[in-house]
Amino acid sequence: MNIIIVASSNAMPTTLDLKCWRMRGKIIGAIAACALFCVGVGVVAATVVSNSRDHALRDVAVMRDTISKQRGDLGRLEADSRRDMDALALQLGSLQAQAMRLNALGERLTEIGKLGDGEFDFTKPPALGGAEDPAAASHTLDFDLAGNIDALRDQFASQETQLTVLENLLLDRKARNALVPSGYPVATSYIGSPFGVRVDPINGQMETHLGLDFDAEMGSDIKAVAAGVVSFVGDRAGYGHVVEIDHGNGYMTRYAHNSANLVQLGDRVNFGQVIAKVGSTGRSTGPHCHFEVWLNGKAVNPYAYVKGKTKPV
């Protein structure tokens, strides 16, 4: 069997004799070489494709690891932020409690100090203001938040301590003022006889009058002019029915000529408490309240105390 190969119309044909074992060997070698070439090309192509796919898979795996790490970091950041917010919320609550205590102290001090209405309103923030400097450079908010909160807490604590000390001083002063005689012992009355030397209304002689006489209706209320303890209840010569109150700090007040005594020995009485009724017992020409103020064992003129123009000693 022959194979004739014609390259062109003008060229001489080439004849391949398949009966010749050499020709058959050459043809088989050529076919084998082509087959090996195709196999090599396929192996190279498969290797290239396989390498590209493995590289892509490695890239995907790296990206997955990166995303997983980022998710972990984000979760930790969220947890840290939540803890920080919780801590700030606790500190804010503590500061709010301190601010409420300071407001309560301020209101009490306003009441104790008898400041005018609206002079100090602790329920409103103080008014602030000021002209803006156009030439001033802008400032960034760069500070330690936790440190500033701690400093503010310390400032609140210091102010609370100072206000508490001031409150105690004012309360002590108020308590001492409450023990100083002040005001009229009978509400609806007038001074009928002054303190000092006067003509005795009964014998007509010059005598020393140790108190003030307040003319009033029979049975009118006699009130304590300061807080204290009842040191005497009973009758004294010339005074009739008497109530005496020890106010401390050397003060004692006496209420005499009463028609009835309403307190007992040792009773604690408050300012303005009704202790007796106006009468005319003892040396008296009519219903009135004889009122005396004693300081350190000596009778003093009650007029200044009645008018509230004295200071505590």
Side-chain angles (χ1 to χ4, degrees), residues 64 117 232 295:
R64 286 178 177 175
D117 293 339
F232 179 84
L295 179 59

Side-chain angles (χ1 to χ4, degrees), residues 8-241:
S8 63
S9 59
N10 297 324
M12 291 295 294
T14 301
T15 303
L16 300 178
D17 187 2
L18 297 180
K19 293 181 178 181
C20 178
W21 62 271
R22 289 184 178 179
M23 183 58 67
R24 289 198 299 269
K26 290 180 180 180
I27 293 173
I28 292 171
I31 293 172
C34 289
L36 288 175
F37 176 78
C38 292
V39 170
V41 171
V43 169
V44 171
T47 301
V48 172
V49 172
S50 177
N51 289 338
S52 298
R53 183 182 60 188
D54 292 343
H55 184 70
L57 290 175
R58 284 195 299 270
D59 290 343
V60 170
V62 170
M63 292 178 64
R64 286 178 177 175
D65 291 340
T66 301
I67 293 173
S68 178
K69 290 180 180 179
Q70 289 178 347
R71 285 178 177 175
D73 294 340
L74 182 61
R76 286 189 293 272
L77 179 61
E78 183 180 2
D80 293 341
S81 299
R82 187 178 296 110
R83 284 195 298 270
D84 292 340
M85 291 299 294
D86 292 341
L88 288 175
L90 290 174
Q91 295 189 38
L92 178 60
S94 176
L95 290 177
Q96 288 175 337
Q98 284 186 303
M100 291 178 65
R101 289 196 295 272
L102 287 175
N103 287 337
L105 275 173
E107 291 174 359
R108 289 201 298 272
L109 291 176
T110 300
E111 181 179 355
I112 294 171
K114 297 181 179 179
L115 299 176
D117 293 339
E119 185 173 355
F120 288 97
D121 189 351
F122 289 91
T123 63
K124 298 179 181 179
L128 304 175
E132 183 179 2
D133 185 2
S138 61
H139 299 279
T140 59
L141 195 61
D142 184 14
F143 60 90
D144 182 8
L145 181 59
N148 279 268
I149 290 178
D150 291 337
L152 185 59
R153 182 185 296 108
D154 293 340
Q155 181 181 352
F156 275 4
S158 177
Q159 291 176 346
E160 184 175 0
T161 300
Q162 293 173 356
L163 288 176
T164 301
V165 171
L166 180 58
E167 179 188 29
N168 292 333
L169 290 175
L170 290 176
L171 286 174
D172 182 63
R173 181 181 300 173
K174 184 177 181 180
R176 286 188 285 112
N177 288 339
L179 299 177
V180 176
S182 177
Y184 280 58
V186 183
T188 56
S189 63
Y190 63 92
I191 299 175
S193 181
F195 172 87
V197 178
R198 67 168 187 176
V199 176
D200 188 282
I202 296 177
N203 60 27
Q205 299 180 3
M206 299 298 294
E207 300 286 350
T208 300
H209 190 226
L210 299 180
L212 298 177
D213 289 340
F214 293 88
D215 283 8
E217 295 290 335
M218 177 68 73
S220 299
D221 290 340
I222 299 176
K223 300 179 181 180
V225 296
V229 177
V230 177
S231 57
F232 179 84
V233 177
D235 291 346
R236 289 192 183 277
Y239 288 100
H241 299 330

Side-chain angles (χ1 to χ4, degrees), residues 224 226-233 243-247 261-270 273-275:
V229 177
V230 177
S231 57
F232 179 84
V233 177
V243 172
E244 296 177 359
I245 300 176
D246 185 355
H247 304 285
N261 296 330
L262 305 181
V263 292
Q264 302 295 324
L265 181 65
D267 286 353
R268 298 184 64 88
V269 297
N270 298 319
Q273 179 178 336
V274 178
I275 58 173

